[in-house]
C-alpha cells in the first residue's frame, strides 16, 4: 500500500498523462458520441440559473445563432442534467479524488481583495473568451487535435501567445 501512496504523491511524466488523457478522450467519444467539452456545461448551468431568476437567455442572439447546438440538448435532456453536467461533475470529483489520494488538498485563505478581484475578472474574461471561441482549451484544443482539426492548431498558437502576455501582466501587477 505504501508503494501506491508514493506512486500517487509523485508527479507523473507528462507523456503518461498525455497518453491517459488521449485514451480517455477516445473512450468518451466511442461510448457517448460526444467529445470532451467543459464550458458548454457551465454555460447551460448559467442559463438555468438565469431562468430561475426570471431572465430569458435562450432568447438572446447568441442562443438564436447556436440554436442547432443547444436546443437538442435542452429539449431531449434537462438544462442542468445532461451529458455536459456529467462530464463536469466527473472532472470535479476526479480532481478532488486525485488531490486527496496524493495528500495535496489544502484550503487557502484569500490573500487580499485585489487577488479576489483579479480572479473574478479573469474568470469572467475566460468565460467570455470561451463563448467567442465556442469552447475552451479542452473542446477547442484537446478534442480538436486528435480529430485532425486545423482550428485546434491555430488555437494552440494563440493560447501560447496569450499565456505569454498574461505572464507578463502578472509579473508587472503582482511582482
Amino acid at each position: 500500500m505504501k508503494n501506491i501512496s508514493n506512486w500517487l504523491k509523485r508527479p507523473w511524466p507528462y507523456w503518461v498523462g498525455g497518453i491517459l488523457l488521449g485514451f480517455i478522450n477516445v473512450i468518451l467519444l466511442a461510448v457517448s458520441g460526444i467529445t470532451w467539452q467543459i464550458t458548454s456545461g457551465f454555460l447551460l448551468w448559467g442559463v438555468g440559473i438565469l431562468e430561475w431568476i426570471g431572465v430569458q437567455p435562450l432568447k438572446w442572439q447568441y442562443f438564436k445563432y447556436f440554436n442547432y447546438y443547444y436546443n437538442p440538448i435542452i429539449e431531449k435532456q434537462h438544462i442542468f442534467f445532461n451529458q455536459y453536467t456529467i462530464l463536469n461533475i466527473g472532472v470535479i470529483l476526479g480532481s478532488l479524488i486525485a488531490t486527496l489520494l496524493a495528500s495535496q488538498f489544502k484550503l487557502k485563505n484569500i490573500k487580499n481583495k485585489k487577488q479576489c478581484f483579479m480572479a473574478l475578472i479573469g474568470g469572467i474574461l475566460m468565460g467570455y473568451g470561451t463563448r467567442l471561441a465556442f469552447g475552451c482549451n479542452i473542446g477547442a484544443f484537446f478534442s480538436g487535435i486528435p480529430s485532425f482539426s486545423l482550428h485546434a492548431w491555430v488555437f494552440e498558437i494563440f493560447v501560447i501567445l496569450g499565456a505569454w502576455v498574461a505572464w507578463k501582466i502578472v509579473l508587472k501587477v503582482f511582482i
Side-chain angles (χ1 to χ4, degrees), residues 36-139:
W36 191 11
Q37 299 176 31
I38 301 294
T39 59
S40 293
F42 291 136
L43 175 69
L44 291 172
W45 292 359
V47 166
I49 291 167
L50 288 174
E51 285 183 346
W52 274 353
I53 61 174
V55 179
Q56 297 179 339
L58 293 174
K59 293 185 178 181
W60 295 351
Q61 186 63 36
Y62 176 85
F63 291 101
K64 287 180 184 176
Y65 184 76
F66 292 112
N67 187 26
Y68 68 92
Y69 184 77
Y70 291 107
N71 272 3
I73 297 167
I74 294 167
E75 290 172 3
K76 291 180 184 174
Q77 300 171 27
H78 188 273
I79 202 150
F80 286 109
F81 305 108
N82 52 58
Q83 68 262 27
Y84 302 114
T85 294
I86 293 168
L87 287 172
N88 286 350
I89 290 172
V91 168
I92 293 166
L93 288 178
S95 300
L96 176 63
I97 290 168
T99 303
L100 291 172
L101 288 172
S103 301
Q104 296 293 315
F105 184 81
K106 295 177 188 173
L107 291 176
K108 295 182 179 181
N109 291 332
I110 297 172
K111 293 179 183 176
N112 55 43
K113 290 180 183 177
K114 184 177 180 182
Q115 180 187 26
C116 185
F117 178 74
M118 294 297 281
L120 180 63
I121 295 300
I124 290 169
L125 289 173
M126 285 174 59
Y128 184 69
T130 62
R131 292 302 90 207
L132 289 178
F134 201 53
C136 65
N137 59 338
I138 300 297

Side-chain angles (χ1 to χ4, degrees), residues 106-173:
K106 295 177 188 173
L107 291 176
K108 295 182 179 181
N109 291 332
I110 297 172
K111 293 179 183 176
N112 55 43
K113 290 180 183 177
K114 184 177 180 182
Q115 180 187 26
C116 185
F117 178 74
M118 294 297 281
L120 180 63
I121 295 300
I124 290 169
L125 289 173
M126 285 174 59
Y128 184 69
T130 62
R131 292 302 90 207
L132 289 178
F134 201 53
C136 65
N137 59 338
I138 300 297
F141 176 68
F142 184 69
S143 295
I145 294 289
S147 63
F148 301 104
S149 177
L150 176 62
H151 88 279
W153 295 99
V154 173
F155 182 85
E156 177 187 21
I157 292 167
F158 284 96
V159 164
I160 291 169
L161 290 172
W164 181 79
V165 169
W167 177 244
K168 293 295 185 182
I169 292 170
V170 166
L171 286 176
K172 187 171 185 126
V173 172

